[in-house]
Amino acid sequence: MPQAKVALVTAASSGLGAAIARMLAVDLGMNVVINFNSNASRAEHLAKSIQDEFNAMHTKGQVSIQFIQADMCDKSQVKSLVTDAAARFGGRLDIVISNVGWTRMRNFSDLDDNIDEDDWDRCFTANVKSHLWLFHAAKKYLEESNLRDAGAAAFVSTASLAGVKPSGSSVPYAVTKSAQIHLGRCLATVAAPSIRVNTISPGILLTEWGLSFPPQRLELARKSNKLDRFATVEDVVQQVKTFVVSKSVTGWDVCSSYSMILGVTVAYSHCRISLLPSYHAKAIMTRTYVKRPAASGASRTKTNGSTVDVAGIVKGVIDTVRQQGDGAVRRYSEQFDKWSPVSFELSKEDIEQVIAELPEQVIQDIKTVQANVRKFAEAQKDSLKEFELEMAPGVLLGQKNNPIDSVGAYIPGGRYPLLASAHMTILTAKVAGVRNVVACTPPAAGKLPLATVAAMHLAGADQIFILGGIQAIAAMAVGTETIPKVDFIAGPGNAFVAEAKRQLFGEIGIDLFAGPTEVLIVADETADPYIVATDLLSQAEHGPDTPAILITTSEDLAKRTIEYCDQQLATLKTAAVASVSWQNFGEVIVTDTIDEAYQVADEFASEHVQILTANPRDALTKMQHYGALFLGPMTCVSFGDKCIGTNHVLPTKHAARYTGGLWVGKFLRTVTYQEVTSAEESGKLGRLCGRAARVELFEGHARSGDIRASLYLKDKFDWVKP
C-alpha cells in the first residue's frame, strides 16, 4: 500500500487551522502535523480527536496525527518545524497549509490609530515573512513530492478579504494581507510547475477571533454580503480542499465571502476555478495545464537525464589541451570521434574535391540561403553608425565599430549535420569585417561532412578543421601548434561544447551560453492544430531535452494539438528523439485571454516564439522576452533555422530576458575616442575633473585635471611646480 501523503498545517490548534487539519486527515486520509505556538494541551487534544474520528470512520488504512510547537514569526523555528515534521514521516512532506496571521484591533477609519510601528512590524512578520520562510523551508520536500506524483505538491496560505478590499481590523493588517496575496502569486510563478501555490482570503468568520469584532461591525459586514450571511469555516475548508486535490490550479486567490459567487468548471482532465467578484477587483491570471512536462525539478536540469560530470570532463580536456597541444587534441579526437587524419585542417584541394562531389542543387541552395543571411547581416551592420560629436568648441567625442581580429566558429555535427550554423557564424563574422575566421566541425561517422564543409567554405572561412567537441573549442581558445588561438568563439553545440565555452569565457569572448533548443507557440482559436503540432515537433526533434510549449486561449485547440502530435510521431523519422522531448518537456497551457497568453509566454522567455493568432503582429508590442519571433501561419521556426536570413544562434534558458542572439554586432567592438584641441576647454574640463575626482577621494585623478587647469587657465595649486 502506498504511503499516505503528509500535510503540515500551521496555527492549527483551533479555529480554521484545526478544521483544515481535520479535513486533510479524515476526508483525504493524510498524515497531518499540527503546528501550535503556546497551547500544547489544546493541540494534543485536537490530535487525539482527529485520530479517533479517522479510526471511527475508516476501517482500512491508518494515519498519524502529530503536533509540534513553533513560533512562526521566528525564522529559525520555522525551519526547524519543517525539518522535524518531514523527519517524522521519513523525510516526506506533500502539502503545506500556511495559516498564521496577526493583527491588533484598530479604528480602520482613523489614520492616527494605524501608524503604530510595532503593529506594522508584527503584521509584516506574521502576515508576509512567515509565509515566505515556511515556503522556503518546505520547497525541497514539495519538489520531491512532485517527482513522486506530478502536480500533487501544494502550498496554500490563508490571507484575508481585507487584503483584497480595504477593510478589516486595521490598516497594517489590510496592507500586509494584500502583500501576502501577491507573495502567493510570486511564489506560484517561481515554483511552477513543480509546486502549486494558492491563497484563500476569507471575510469575517465567526470563530473565536471573528466574534471579537464589535457587534455593529459584524452586522455591517453581514449586510454587505449578497447572501445576507457570513461564510463559515466549513466553506473555507472546502475551498482549501479544492486547492489541495486539484492539480491544475496555481497562482489563485479565492475570496471566501458571500459577496462572491464561486463556480467550478471541469474540462479535459483539468479543473478551473472561476470567480465573479461583487466589486471591481483586478482579475487574477488563470493558467490551466492541459499537458504538463513529465520531467520536472532536478531531472529537467540534467543532460538527457544523465548524471555524467560534464563540467569535470570538460575541465580535464581543456587543461590537457592547454598543456599538451596537438597531441592531446589528436588523442581526444580518436577517443570521442574515432577520427585521426594526417591533418585536421582541410587543404584547398580537399575543399575543391568536396565541392565537386556535391550535387549542384545543394551548392545552389547553400548560396541562396547565404545570400539571405548576408543581406540581413549587412542591414544590421548599416544600422550601427559611427559618429563624431563636438561637445563644445574643440572637444570631440567619437564612436567607432572595430571588428574582432580573429573568430572561431563551431559548426556542430553529431546527431544532425547543422550546416546552417556555418551561415550564421562564419558569414556573419565576415560581414562584420573579421579578418580571420577559424572554423571547426566534427566528422560525420568517420567521414567528411560534405555539405557542411561546402557551407563553411562558401561562407568565407579562412581555415577549416574537421575537429569536434571539447577538443575543438579548447584548441581554438588556447591555441596549439597547428590551430591558431582566436579571440572569440561562436556557434551552438551539445552540453559539452556549451560547458567548454562557459569555462573558457573571459579568456576568450563567446556569443552566449546556449542550452537545449526551445520552441513556444502562442495560438488562438484561429490556428490550425495540425500546423501547431507539426511546428512543435519540428523543434522537438532537436534533442530529447527540448521544451516544446503551446500557450493557447482555446481548449479545443489544445486537445486537438496533443492528438495530432501523437498521430504525427507515429510516422516521424526522428520520433525516437522527438517523442522523448515531447513527453518529458512538452507543455500545453490554456489561458483565458490572448493578453494573458502573451504574459505567460514572456515569463518563459523562450528561444523561438511562434505566433499563430488572428493578429500576430500584436506580439511585437505585447511581448518583450524572446530570442526570435515568427509571426503568422505562413512563417515557421524552421525558416529561421535554415533559410530565411535571420540568425538562428539564439538565447535559451530564460537568457532572452537580458540578451538577444548572435548578430553582426557581436563581432564588432564598439569603442569610443576623445580629443580636446581647445586650451580653454581643456582647462575648464581640468577644473571639473579635479572637483569631481576629489569627491571620490581620487587625488591622482584630480591632479591630472589640475595640471591642465594650471597650464591653460593659470590656476594655482600647491602641489604644481611653479
Side-chain angles (χ1 to χ4, degrees), residues 32 34 41 69 114 120 160 174 272 276 405 431 526 554 563 606:
V32 177
I34 295 168
S41 61
Q69 189 279 332
N114 285 275
W120 281 95
S160 171
R272 296 171 60 185
L276 301 175
D405 291 337
V431 169
T526 66
S554 168
E563 293 168 359
S606 187

Side-chain angles (χ1 to χ4, degrees), residues 218-236:
L218 291 176
E219 180 63 15
L220 182 63
R222 182 187 64 78
K223 288 183 177 180
S224 69
N225 289 342
K226 298 300 182 184
L227 299 184
D228 194 30
R229 54 165 288 205
F230 291 109
T232 66
V233 168
E234 183 57 28
D235 293 326
V236 181

Side-chain angles (χ1 to χ4, degrees), residues 399-471:
Q399 173 177 293
K400 288 180 61 64
N401 298 311
N402 296 334
I404 296 171
D405 291 337
S406 181
V407 165
Y410 186 78
I411 317 303
R415 187 177 292 112
Y416 309 113
L418 296 181
L419 65 152
S421 291
H423 323 323
M424 310 301 174
T425 54
I426 300 167
L427 191 151
T428 306
K430 281 299 184 181
V431 169
V434 174
R435 176 179 53 80
N436 186 55
V437 176
V438 178
C440 289
T441 193
K447 298 180 180 179
L448 292 181
L450 301 182
T452 303
V453 170
M456 295 163 78
H457 170 68
L458 294 171
D462 296 285
Q463 291 177 276
I464 297 175
F465 294 85
I466 305 303
L467 183 66
I470 311 166
Q471 60 272 22

Side-chain angles (χ1 to χ4, degrees), residues 597-621:
Y598 285 132
Q599 183 179 340
V600 175
D602 247 4
E603 292 174 9
F604 277 99
S606 187
E607 177 186 17
H608 306 102
V609 177
Q610 188 170 350
I611 309 298
L612 299 176
T613 64
N615 300 294
R617 290 185 68 85
D618 286 353
L620 292 171
T621 55

Side-chain angles (χ1 to χ4, degrees), residues 105-220:
M105 195 70 70
R106 297 286 187 178
N107 182 350
F108 192 91
S109 301
D110 183 357
L111 182 60
D112 290 338
D113 198 31
N114 285 275
I115 60 172
D116 185 271
E117 289 194 27
D118 183 61
D119 281 9
W120 281 95
D121 291 343
R122 294 183 67 179
C123 276
F124 191 75
T125 297
N127 301 336
V128 183
K129 291 164 70 174
S130 70
H131 301 280
L132 174 63
W133 295 336
L134 181 60
F135 180 85
H136 185 257
K139 180 174 179 286
K140 67 176 181 178
Y141 299 106
L142 295 177
E143 287 177 337
E144 291 169 0
S145 172
N146 182 67
L147 294 176
R148 289 189 294 269
D149 183 2
F155 183 94
V156 182
S157 69
T158 55
S160 171
L161 186 63
V164 180
K165 179 181 180 181
S167 58
S169 55
S170 72
V171 172
Y173 179 74
V175 170
T176 53
K177 282 297 180 179
S178 181
Q180 178 188 343
I181 293 167
H182 196 64
L183 172 66
R185 297 170 190 161
C186 292
L187 295 178
T189 300
V190 171
S194 300
I195 306 169
R196 295 179 293 105
V197 182
N198 294 288
T199 308
I200 301 287
S201 293
I204 294 177
L205 302 176
L206 297 184
T207 59
E208 181 180 338
W209 163 249
L211 292 172
S212 68
F213 279 83
Q216 61 271 27
R217 186 179 292 191
L218 291 176
E219 180 63 15
L220 182 63

